[in-house]
Amino acid sequence: MKKNEGNKHNPYTLMFGKEPKNIISRIVQSDEVYNTFSSDEPSQQIYMITGVRGSGKTVFMTELAKRFKKEKSWVTVELNPAVDILKDFAAKLYEDSRFKELFREAKINLSLLGIGVEISGVSPISNIEVA
């Protein structure tokens, strides 16, 4: 066997973000997740997607996200774990035209030990990704 011959048939992409030459079809698994979450009474509330580096976890999630984005009743949001996830989530919901007016009309009342604050009609959050 030649020195580089062993890597020629490796089905995994070992470089982050590099699209593989051959994508392993996961139609059954994709349909299972999609159909479960699309059900009126889902049997699962969460799925854990695991695998070795380069095995297609991100590709699998991206394909699912594309399917859900096509559905008008679904909202898909890509979150960055390097920033405050709740703020990131709220900022990205605000940027969705379906929710912008709800945020503008919302009133938030907070009070603690007799001190209170009310926020209304203000853009809730912005971050560098949304900007």
Side-chain angles (χ1 to χ4, degrees):
M1 185 189 302
K2 293 180 183 176
K3 188 175 183 180
N4 292 329
E5 202 170 297
N7 292 337
K8 196 187 300 186
H9 301 290
N10 187 346
Y12 305 115
T13 301
L14 300 177
M15 295 181 66
F16 180 75
K18 182 179 178 192
E19 189 172 316
K21 290 181 183 177
N22 300 318
I23 296 177
I24 299 169
S25 176
R26 293 182 173 84
I27 294 171
V28 172
Q29 294 84 358
S30 178
D31 285 347
E32 178 185 343
V33 173
Y34 180 81
N35 292 333
T36 298
F37 286 154
S38 297
S39 171
D40 288 338
E41 294 183 26
S43 60
Q44 300 288 328
Q45 302 272 329
I46 189 170
Y47 279 91
M48 183 179 295
I49 300 168
T50 63
V52 297
R53 179 179 171 198
S55 64
K57 300 176 299 292
T58 303
V59 172
F60 181 74
M61 288 294 300
T62 301
E63 290 302 315
L64 276 172
K66 285 179 184 176
R67 286 179 75 178
F68 282 113
K69 281 181 183 180
K70 291 177 184 176
E71 302 290 328
K72 291 182 180 180
S73 61
W74 277 89
V75 176
T76 60
V77 178
E78 291 185 32
L79 299 175
N80 180 351
V83 298
D84 184 323
I85 289 179
L86 289 177
K87 287 183 180 179
D88 193 32
F89 180 62
K92 289 182 179 172
L93 282 180
Y94 176 74
E95 288 303 308
D96 188 311
S97 61
R98 294 173 284 181
F99 298 103
K100 204 168 246 188
E101 194 60 34
L102 292 174
F103 276 107
R104 285 190 193 131
E105 295 174 1
K107 288 186 180 182
I108 302 170
N109 293 300
L110 304 171
S111 65
L112 179 64
L113 301 173
I115 301 172
V117 64
E118 180 178 303
I119 302 169
S120 63
V122 178
S123 169
I125 296 169
S126 64
N127 68 25
I128 193 65
E129 286 187 352
V130 171

